[in-house]
Amino acid sequence: MSVSVIEQAKIQAQVLVPLVKALQAELGEARANALVRTTLGDLYRGYGEEFWKARNETDLGKAVSSAFRAYARDDALAYDVIEQTEDVFAFDVTRCAYAEFYKALGEPELGFLLVCTADFATAEGFGPDVALTRTQTIMQGAPHCDFRYRRDPVGPR
């Protein structure tokens, strides 16, 4: 049986939280966070590319919905789908076990850095015509996370 994404995040936090804190102490918070964001961004962008190629799906709503179910597995997330079409997948996360976990650790800022920022890099891996907009997260204290994936059929400008 495969390990769920929430369990992977908890396991990774045992190493990443002390590592990031050490980097912050050595390099300063801004520089360390930028380094972590860039490094993890490259990794998650690659995951997004691999997922998109493996799915071989032209329907953005179906593809992103499928990917998101993996992150929600084991009751990790509760969410409401707002819109799902061939070019849109919009949803609100109303409960987040990732945020609950990092809040219990007393490290919601690191949770945002290590978990939430991966969402944008992963979306970039879906291709240049897919964009993610999110204005708030539970991890940062909002009542819900507002994910809005949209495909621009024309592509980037």
Side-chain angles (χ1 to χ4, degrees):
M1 177 184 261
S2 65
V3 177
S4 67
V5 178
I6 183 67
E7 289 306 314
Q8 289 176 38
K10 289 177 179 180
I11 293 165
Q12 292 167 348
Q14 294 175 33
V15 173
L16 291 177
V17 168
L19 178 62
V20 171
K21 289 177 126 188
L23 286 170
Q24 289 173 337
E26 186 69 26
L27 303 174
E29 188 174 329
R31 190 165 168 217
N33 289 359
L35 178 63
V36 169
R37 200 173 291 111
T38 298
T39 303
L40 292 179
D42 291 344
L43 179 69
Y44 285 108
R45 194 171 303 102
Y47 288 160
E49 290 170 359
E50 288 175 22
F51 169 81
W52 198 257
K53 288 175 187 169
R55 286 289 298 180
N56 195 26
E57 174 67 67
T58 59
D59 186 313
L60 179 70
K62 283 183 185 175
V64 177
S65 174
S66 170
F68 193 72
R69 282 193 299 275
Y71 289 93
R73 191 176 129 201
D74 288 352
D75 199 32
L77 301 169
Y79 61 99
D80 298 321
V81 176
I82 307 301
E83 182 181 5
Q84 182 174 345
T85 68
E86 192 171 324
D87 293 318
V88 174
F89 188 60
F91 60 96
D92 290 340
V93 172
T94 56
R95 189 189 65 67
C96 176
Y98 301 89
E100 293 162 2
F101 171 73
Y102 274 95
K103 184 177 180 182
L105 288 180
E107 301 291 349
E109 305 83 19
L110 290 183
F112 182 80
L113 176 66
L114 296 171
V115 176
C116 301
T117 58
D119 298 327
F120 287 95
T122 303
E124 288 172 10
F126 293 165
D129 60 339
V130 176
L132 168 61
T133 304
R134 188 184 62 215
T135 64
Q136 61 185 26
T137 65
I138 295 170
M139 193 79 77
Q140 293 180 303
H144 69 275
C145 308
D146 58 342
F147 286 81
R148 304 297 184 261
Y149 290 86
R150 182 170 303 279
R151 180 186 359 244
D152 177 2
V154 177
R157 297 175 214 279

